[in-house]
Coordinates of all heavy atoms in Angstrom, one line a residue:
Chain A
E133 N 151.5 166.9 27.7 CA 152.8 167.3 27.9 C 153.4 168.0 26.5 O 153.1 167.5 25.5 CB 153.6 166.0 28.0 CG 155.1 166.1 28.3 CD 155.4 167.0 29.5 OE1 155.0 166.7 30.5 OE2 155.9 168.1 29.2
T134 N 154.1 169.0 26.7 CA 154.6 169.7 25.6 C 156.1 169.7 25.5 O 156.8 170.1 24.5 CB 154.2 171.2 25.6 OG1 154.6 171.8 26.9 CG2 152.7 171.4 25.4
D135 N 156.7 169.2 26.6 CA 158.2 169.1 26.6 C 158.7 167.9 25.9 O 158.6 166.9 26.3 CB 158.8 169.0 28.1 CG 160.3 169.0 28.3 OD1 160.9 168.6 27.2 OD2 160.7 169.2 29.2
H136 N 159.0 168.1 24.6 CA 159.2 167.0 23.7 C 160.5 166.1 24.1 O 160.6 164.9 23.8 CB 159.4 167.4 22.2 CG 158.0 167.7 21.8 ND1 157.7 168.0 20.5 CD2 156.8 167.6 22.3 CE1 156.4 168.1 20.3 NE2 155.8 168.0 21.3
R137 N 161.4 166.7 24.9 CA 162.5 165.9 25.3 C 162.1 165.1 26.5 O 162.7 164.0 26.7 CB 163.6 167.0 26.0 CG 164.3 167.7 24.9 CD 165.4 168.8 25.4 NE 166.2 169.2 24.3 CZ 167.3 168.5 23.9 NH1 167.7 167.5 24.4 NH2 167.8 169.1 22.8
K138 N 161.2 165.6 27.2 CA 160.8 164.7 28.4 C 159.9 163.5 27.8 O 160.1 162.4 28.3 CB 159.8 165.6 29.2 CG 159.5 165.1 30.6 CD 158.9 166.3 31.5 CE 158.1 165.6 32.7 NZ 157.3 166.7 33.3
I139 N 159.2 163.8 26.8 CA 158.5 162.6 26.1 C 159.5 161.6 25.6 O 159.4 160.5 25.7 CB 157.5 163.1 25.0 CG1 156.5 164.1 25.5 CG2 157.0 162.0 24.2 CD1 155.6 164.7 24.5
W140 N 160.6 162.2 24.9 CA 161.5 161.3 24.4 C 162.2 160.4 25.4 O 162.5 159.3 25.1 CB 162.6 162.2 23.6 CG 163.6 161.3 22.8 CD1 164.8 161.0 23.3 CD2 163.4 160.8 21.5 NE1 165.3 160.2 22.3 CE2 164.5 160.1 21.3 CE3 162.3 160.8 20.5 CZ2 164.7 159.4 20.1 CZ3 162.5 160.3 19.4 CH2 163.6 159.4 19.1
Q141 N 162.4 161.0 26.6 CA 163.1 160.3 27.6 C 162.1 159.2 28.1 O 162.7 157.9 28.3 CB 163.4 161.2 28.8 CG 164.0 160.6 30.0 CD 165.5 160.2 29.6 OE1 166.4 161.0 29.1 NE2 165.9 158.9 29.8
I142 N 160.9 159.2 28.2 CA 160.0 158.3 28.5 C 160.0 157.2 27.5 O 160.2 155.9 27.8 CB 158.5 158.8 28.6 CG1 158.4 159.8 29.7 CG2 157.6 157.6 28.6 CD1 156.9 160.4 29.7
F143 N 160.2 157.5 26.2 CA 160.2 156.7 25.1 C 161.5 155.8 25.2 O 161.5 154.5 25.2 CB 160.1 157.5 23.8 CG 160.4 156.6 22.6 CD1 159.6 155.5 22.2 CD2 161.5 157.0 21.7 CE1 160.0 154.8 21.0 CE2 161.7 156.3 20.5 CZ 160.9 155.2 20.2
A144 N 162.6 156.5 25.5 CA 163.8 155.8 25.6 C 163.8 154.9 26.9 O 164.4 153.8 26.7 CB 165.0 156.9 25.8
D145 N 163.4 155.3 27.9 CA 163.2 154.5 29.2 C 162.4 153.1 28.9 O 162.7 152.1 29.4 CB 162.4 155.2 30.2 CG 163.2 156.4 30.7 OD1 164.4 156.5 30.5 OD2 162.7 157.2 31.5
H146 N 161.6 153.1 27.9 CA 160.8 152.1 27.6 C 161.1 151.4 26.2 O 160.2 150.5 25.7 CB 159.2 152.5 27.7 CG 158.8 152.7 29.0 ND1 159.0 154.0 29.5 CD2 158.3 151.9 30.1 CE1 158.6 154.1 30.7 NE2 158.2 152.8 31.2
F147 N 162.2 151.9 25.7 CA 162.4 151.3 24.4 C 162.6 149.8 24.2 O 162.3 149.0 23.3 CB 163.7 151.9 23.6 CG 164.0 151.7 22.4 CD1 163.1 152.2 21.4 CD2 165.2 151.0 21.8 CE1 163.2 151.8 20.0 CE2 165.3 150.7 20.5 CZ 164.4 151.2 19.6
Y148 N 163.0 149.2 25.5 CA 163.2 147.7 25.6 C 162.0 147.0 25.3 O 161.9 145.8 24.9 CB 163.7 147.3 26.9 CG 162.7 147.5 28.0 CD1 161.9 146.4 28.4 CD2 162.6 148.7 28.7 CE1 161.0 146.6 29.4 CE2 161.5 149.0 29.7 CZ 160.9 147.9 30.1 OH 159.9 147.9 31.0
L149 N 160.7 147.7 25.4 CA 159.5 147.1 25.2 C 159.3 146.6 23.7 O 158.5 145.6 23.4 CB 158.3 148.0 25.6 CG 158.1 148.4 27.0 CD1 156.9 149.3 27.0 CD2 157.7 147.1 27.8
F150 N 160.0 147.3 22.8 CA 159.9 147.1 21.4 C 160.8 145.9 21.0 O 160.6 145.6 19.7 CB 160.1 148.3 20.6 CG 159.1 149.5 20.9 CD1 159.3 150.3 21.9 CD2 157.8 149.4 20.4 CE1 158.5 151.3 22.1 CE2 156.8 150.4 20.6 CZ 157.1 151.5 21.6
A151 N 161.5 145.3 21.8 CA 162.4 144.2 21.3 C 161.5 143.1 20.8 O 160.6 142.5 21.4 CB 163.2 143.7 22.5
G152 N 161.8 142.6 19.7 CA 161.0 141.6 19.0 C 159.7 142.0 18.3 O 159.1 141.2 17.8
T153 N 159.5 143.3 18.3 CA 158.3 143.8 17.5 C 158.8 144.4 16.1 O 159.8 145.0 16.1 CB 157.5 144.9 18.3 OG1 158.3 146.0 18.4 CG2 157.3 144.4 19.7
P154 N 157.8 144.5 15.2 CA 158.2 145.1 14.0 C 158.5 146.6 14.2 O 159.4 147.2 13.5 CB 157.0 145.0 13.1 CG 155.9 144.4 13.9 CD 156.4 143.8 15.2
T155 N 157.8 147.3 15.0 CA 158.1 148.8 15.4 C 159.5 148.8 15.8 O 160.2 149.8 15.3 CB 157.1 149.3 16.4 OG1 155.8 149.1 15.9 CG2 157.4 150.7 16.7
G156 N 159.9 147.9 16.8 CA 161.4 148.0 17.1 C 162.4 147.8 15.9 O 163.4 148.5 15.7
I157 N 162.0 146.9 15.0 CA 162.8 146.8 13.8 C 162.9 147.8 13.0 O 163.8 148.4 12.5 CB 162.4 145.5 13.0 CG1 162.6 144.2 13.8 CG2 162.8 145.4 11.5 CD1 161.9 142.9 13.1
W158 N 161.6 148.4 12.7 CA 161.6 149.7 11.8 C 162.4 150.9 12.4 O 163.1 151.6 11.6 CB 160.2 150.1 11.6 CG 159.3 149.1 11.0 CD1 159.8 148.2 10.0 CD2 157.9 148.8 11.2 NE1 158.5 147.4 9.6 CE2 157.5 147.8 10.2 CE3 156.9 149.4 11.9 CZ2 156.2 147.3 10.2 CZ3 155.7 148.9 11.9 CH2 155.3 147.8 11.0
L159 N 162.2 151.0 13.8 CA 162.8 152.1 14.3 C 164.4 152.0 14.4 O 165.1 153.0 14.1 CB 162.5 152.2 16.0 CG 161.0 152.8 16.0 CD1 160.5 152.7 17.5 CD2 160.8 154.3 15.5
S160 N 164.8 150.7 14.6 CA 166.4 150.6 14.5 C 166.9 150.8 13.0 O 167.8 151.4 12.9 CB 166.6 149.1 14.8 OG 166.1 148.8 16.1
H161 N 166.1 150.5 12.1 CA 166.4 150.6 10.7 C 166.5 152.3 10.6 O 167.5 152.8 9.9 CB 165.5 150.1 9.8 CG 165.8 150.2 8.3 ND1 166.3 149.2 7.4 CD2 165.8 151.4 7.6 CE1 166.4 149.7 6.3 NE2 166.2 151.0 6.2
E162 N 165.5 152.9 10.9 CA 165.3 154.3 10.7 C 166.5 155.0 11.4 O 167.2 155.8 10.8 CB 164.0 154.9 11.3 CG 163.4 155.9 10.7 CD 162.0 156.1 11.3 OE1 161.3 155.1 11.4 OE2 161.5 157.3 11.7
F163 N 166.7 154.7 12.7 CA 167.8 155.3 13.5 C 169.1 155.2 12.6 O 169.9 156.1 12.4 CB 168.0 154.8 14.9 CG 166.8 155.2 15.7 CD1 166.5 154.5 16.8 CD2 166.3 156.4 15.5 CE1 165.4 154.8 17.6 CE2 165.3 157.0 16.5 CZ 164.8 156.1 17.5
S164 N 169.4 153.9 12.2 CA 170.6 153.4 11.7 C 170.8 154.0 10.4 O 171.9 154.7 9.9 CB 171.0 152.1 11.8 OG 171.8 151.6 11.1
E165 N 169.8 153.6 9.3 CA 170.0 153.8 7.9 C 169.6 155.3 7.5 O 170.1 155.7 6.6 CB 169.2 152.8 7.1 CG 169.5 151.3 7.6 CD 171.1 150.9 7.3 OE1 171.4 150.9 6.1 OE2 171.8 150.8 8.2
V166 N 168.6 155.8 8.1 CA 168.2 157.1 7.7 C 169.0 158.2 8.4 O 169.4 159.1 7.9 CB 166.5 157.3 7.9 CG1 166.3 158.7 7.5 CG2 165.9 156.1 7.1
F167 N 169.1 157.9 9.7 CA 169.8 159.0 10.5 C 171.2 158.8 10.9 O 171.9 159.5 11.7 CB 168.9 159.2 11.8 CG 167.5 159.9 11.3 CD1 166.5 159.1 11.4 CD2 167.5 161.3 11.0 CE1 165.2 159.5 11.1 CE2 166.3 161.9 10.7 CZ 165.1 161.0 10.7
G168 N 171.8 157.6 10.6 CA 173.1 157.3 11.0 C 173.5 157.2 12.5 O 174.6 157.4 13.0
I169 N 172.5 156.9 13.3 CA 172.6 156.6 14.7 C 173.2 155.2 14.9 O 172.4 154.4 14.5 CB 171.3 156.8 15.6 CG1 170.6 158.2 15.2 CG2 171.5 156.7 17.1 CD1 171.2 159.4 15.7
T170 N 174.3 155.1 15.6 CA 174.8 153.8 15.7 C 174.7 153.0 17.0 O 175.0 152.0 17.3 CB 176.3 153.7 15.3 OG1 176.9 154.7 16.1 CG2 176.4 154.1 13.8
E171 N 174.1 153.8 18.0 CA 173.9 153.3 19.4 C 172.5 152.8 19.6 O 171.6 153.5 18.9 CB 174.2 154.3 20.4 CG 175.6 154.3 20.9 CD 175.7 155.4 21.9 OE1 175.5 155.1 23.1 OE2 176.1 156.5 21.6
K172 N 172.2 151.9 20.3 CA 170.8 151.5 20.8 C 170.3 152.6 21.7 O 170.9 152.9 22.7 CB 170.8 150.1 21.3 CG 169.5 149.5 21.5 CD 169.4 147.9 21.6 CE 169.8 147.5 22.9 NZ 169.5 146.1 23.3
L173 N 169.1 152.9 21.6 CA 168.4 153.9 22.3 C 168.2 153.4 23.8 O 167.7 152.3 23.8 CB 167.1 154.3 21.7 CG 166.3 155.4 22.6 CD1 167.0 156.7 22.5 CD2 164.9 155.5 21.8
N174 N 168.6 154.1 24.8 CA 168.3 153.7 26.1 C 168.2 155.0 27.1 O 168.3 156.0 26.6 CB 169.3 152.7 26.6 CG 170.8 153.3 26.7 OD1 170.9 154.5 26.9 ND2 171.7 152.5 26.3
S175 N 167.9 154.7 28.3 CA 167.7 155.9 29.2 C 168.8 156.7 29.2 O 168.7 158.0 29.3 CB 167.5 155.2 30.6 OG 166.1 154.6 30.7
A176 N 170.0 156.3 29.2 CA 171.4 157.0 29.4 C 171.6 157.8 28.2 O 171.9 159.1 28.3 CB 172.4 156.1 29.7
N177 N 171.4 157.3 27.0 CA 171.8 158.1 25.8 C 170.7 158.7 25.1 O 170.8 159.4 24.0 CB 172.5 157.1 24.8 CG 171.6 156.0 24.2 OD1 170.3 156.3 24.3 ND2 172.2 155.1 23.7
A178 N 169.5 158.9 25.9 CA 168.3 159.4 25.2 C 168.4 160.8 24.7 O 168.1 161.2 23.5 CB 167.2 159.3 26.3
M179 N 168.9 161.7 25.5 CA 169.1 163.2 25.1 C 170.1 163.4 24.1 O 170.0 164.1 23.2 CB 169.4 164.0 26.3 CG 168.2 164.2 27.3 SD 166.8 164.8 26.4 CE 165.6 163.4 26.3

Side-chain angles (χ1 to χ4, degrees):
Chain A
E133 183 57 60
T134 54
D135 181 341
H136 285 189
R137 289 180 168 272
K138 206 165 154 189
I139 296 170
W140 187 263
Q141 185 68 50
I142 295 175
F143 172 56
D145 292 345
H146 294 86
F147 191 63
Y148 71 93
L149 291 174
F150 295 95
T153 72
T155 301
I157 288 173
W158 301 327
L159 289 170
S160 298
H161 181 112
E162 206 171 319
F163 287 150
S164 165
E165 305 297 289
V166 180
F167 294 101
I169 308 285
T170 53
E171 269 181 88
K172 191 162 78 164
L173 183 65
N174 60 38
S175 295
N177 65 18
M179 286 307 108

